Amino acid sequence: MNLRIQELIAKDVPVSFEQSLPVDKLFAGNREVREAGPLQVRLTARPEDKVAVVEGDFACELEMACSRCLEPARVRIEAPFEEHFRQGSPPANEDEQDADVEYAPDGKVNLVPYVEEALLLHLPFVPLCSDNCKGLCPQCGHNLNEGECGCSRERIDPRLAGLKDLFKE
């Protein structure tokens, strides 16, 4: 998915990109993601005042570890995408730079790294296998979704534990 900024601005016609990208290598070192389906990308690039505006959306199916019980959790990520690109180098004066614009010295932009970065930013912090997941027992590690383990759930504040003995008869 390569974009040529000068060509887009010269033709003044929007360009569409629709592609399915493999993301196995992107999550190769990530222990949280067990399996990743292809990343479906739909983008449109249009010229706007010597800037290439790339808009669209992406979607991806992932299998992650549930943050409560560690069982597989199916997660679907769907998110909008928007980036602005300008041909040339960024201005030397930081006050003249536009923070929302990425500069391409040679006028060619590979959109794949930008879409992959957006996918990583949209990963859930706390993936859950279900909204009512009970998690693991903090004492024995039993999956509470499969049934109770028999451990005591009584919690005593350690600062007040000494008072417990005062009321024994």
Side-chain angles (χ1 to χ4, degrees):
M1 292 192 333
N2 294 315
L3 173 65
R4 298 184 192 289
I5 298 170
Q6 191 61 36
E7 186 177 313
L8 176 71
I9 293 170
K11 289 183 179 179
D12 198 26
V13 176
V15 177
S16 295
F17 301 94
E18 193 166 325
Q19 194 168 352
S20 177
L21 303 171
V23 289
D24 296 335
K25 291 180 183 177
L26 183 63
F27 295 114
N30 190 331
R31 294 181 297 160
E32 301 283 324
V33 179
R34 296 178 177 177
E35 187 178 311
L39 176 62
Q40 304 296 329
V41 182
R42 289 183 309 265
L43 303 175
T44 302
R46 60 181 169 75
E48 183 177 291
D49 192 32
K50 297 186 181 181
V51 173
V53 178
V54 181
E55 297 175 313
D57 57 24
F58 61 88
C60 188
E61 292 273 342
L62 303 173
E63 183 179 292
M64 301 180 77
C66 176
S67 63
R68 291 184 189 161
C69 68
L70 303 178
E71 292 294 322
R74 300 295 294 170
V75 176
R76 179 165 178 83
I77 297 174
E78 294 182 32
F81 179 85
E82 182 176 350
E83 286 286 344
H84 300 160
F85 300 98
R86 182 182 298 254
Q87 184 170 346
S89 299
N93 186 355
E94 289 187 19
D95 294 336
E96 296 175 9
Q97 288 184 11
D98 188 351
D100 295 333
V101 175
E102 296 288 332
Y103 291 90
D106 61 355
K108 298 175 189 173
V109 178
N110 182 4
L111 296 173
V112 173
Y114 293 95
V115 176
E116 289 177 344
E117 179 183 12
L119 172 63
L120 291 174
L121 290 172
H122 282 85
L123 285 178
F125 288 116
V126 184
L128 298 175
C129 59
S130 70
D131 289 338
N132 56 357
C133 178
K134 296 177 183 175
L136 301 175
C137 173
Q139 294 175 346
C140 69
H142 177 73
N143 187 344
L144 297 174
N145 295 318
E146 298 171 357
E148 290 297 319
C149 60
C151 293
S152 172
R153 300 262 187 269
E154 182 182 346
R155 290 186 182 169
I156 298 175
D157 188 337
R159 297 170 293 177
L160 304 174
L163 294 175
K164 183 176 108 177
D165 296 333
L166 290 176
F167 297 107
K168 285 186 180 179
E169 287 187 31

